[in-house]
Amino acid sequence: MFRELTRKNKQISDAECTDLLTRETRGILSVNGEDGYPYGMPMNHYYCAEDGCIYFHCGKKGHRLDALAVSDKASFCVCEAGIRRPGEWALEVRSVIVFGRITVIDDTEEVIRITEALCHKFTQDEDYIQGEIRTFAKNTLLLKLTPEHICGKKVLES
């Protein structure tokens, strides 16, 4: 159902894919938008090693939710900044693309649990995190991306 990577020598391991999804803070979530146009948006995310799913927080209305009401299929792409080898101009970059289906979660306890984990990717300031949760949790939904296919690759941009 999903295409295999054409240049298999560029493919990275499942462990490297998981590392990128865990470490990187944002990527592009794409859904089936209106009138056949894809709709991609930058999103902060939390990769949960326990269930292998990727979580996003969002408001309770908007283009993204309207699109997901029509089709739950989505893709998510994460790309690291890359590294430059000494004396080289080209960057070595790893990326991961996840294909899967999204479910919307509005359970407040689950929203708080995942939002706390997501916040810890950015700050350890518990006062700030709890203040944000107290202020915004009641107006927040979670999007849970359950992967059906994950593929990553490493390229040298030369």
Side-chain angles (χ1 to χ4, degrees):
M1 177 171 171
F2 294 99
R3 294 180 181 214
E4 295 294 320
L5 194 61
T6 303
R7 297 180 67 193
K8 294 199 182 300
N9 64 327
K10 304 290 185 188
Q11 190 164 352
I12 62 175
S13 69
D14 291 345
E16 288 177 285
C17 290
T18 298
D19 174 63
L20 270 167
L21 291 169
T22 301
R23 188 172 33 82
E24 293 298 321
T25 55
R26 62 190 53 83
I28 304 295
L29 177 65
S30 296
V31 297
N32 295 307
E34 295 173 349
D35 297 321
Y37 285 98
Y39 178 55
M41 70 241 54
M43 298 282 290
N44 298 327
H45 71 280
Y46 170 68
Y47 174 78
C48 180
E50 295 164 3
D51 64 10
C53 294
I54 303 165
Y55 294 86
F56 311 91
H57 66 90
C58 68
K60 292 191 174 186
K61 61 182 178 177
H63 189 171
R64 175 180 35 240
L65 291 174
D66 292 346
L68 288 169
V70 175
S71 173
D72 64 348
K73 292 180 179 177
S75 70
F76 182 60
C77 179
V78 172
C79 183
E80 67 184 354
I83 59 167
R84 185 170 283 122
R85 295 178 185 155
E88 298 276 337
W89 64 267
L91 289 172
E92 183 179 281
V93 179
R94 295 181 306 160
S95 62
V96 175
I97 297 179
V98 178
F99 294 92
R101 295 183 181 262
I102 291 187
T103 53
V104 177
I105 299 170
D106 63 359
D107 176 70
T108 304
E109 288 183 26
E110 186 72 355
V111 167
I112 290 170
R113 184 180 73 79
I114 295 296
T115 302
E116 284 177 338
L118 174 61
C119 287
H120 281 114
K121 288 179 77 169
F122 296 93
T123 182
Q124 300 306 309
D125 184 339
E126 290 297 328
D127 291 337
Y128 172 80
I129 292 170
Q130 295 309 315
E132 290 291 296
I133 288 171
R134 274 191 307 277
T135 303
F136 298 109
K138 64 182 172 287
N139 294 317
T140 301
L141 295 176
L142 288 177
L143 304 179
K144 177 182 180 181
L145 175 59
T146 302
E148 294 182 334
H149 180 74
I150 298 175
C151 187
K153 68 180 182 177
K154 176 171 55 176
V155 297
L156 183 61
E157 296 181 329
S158 60

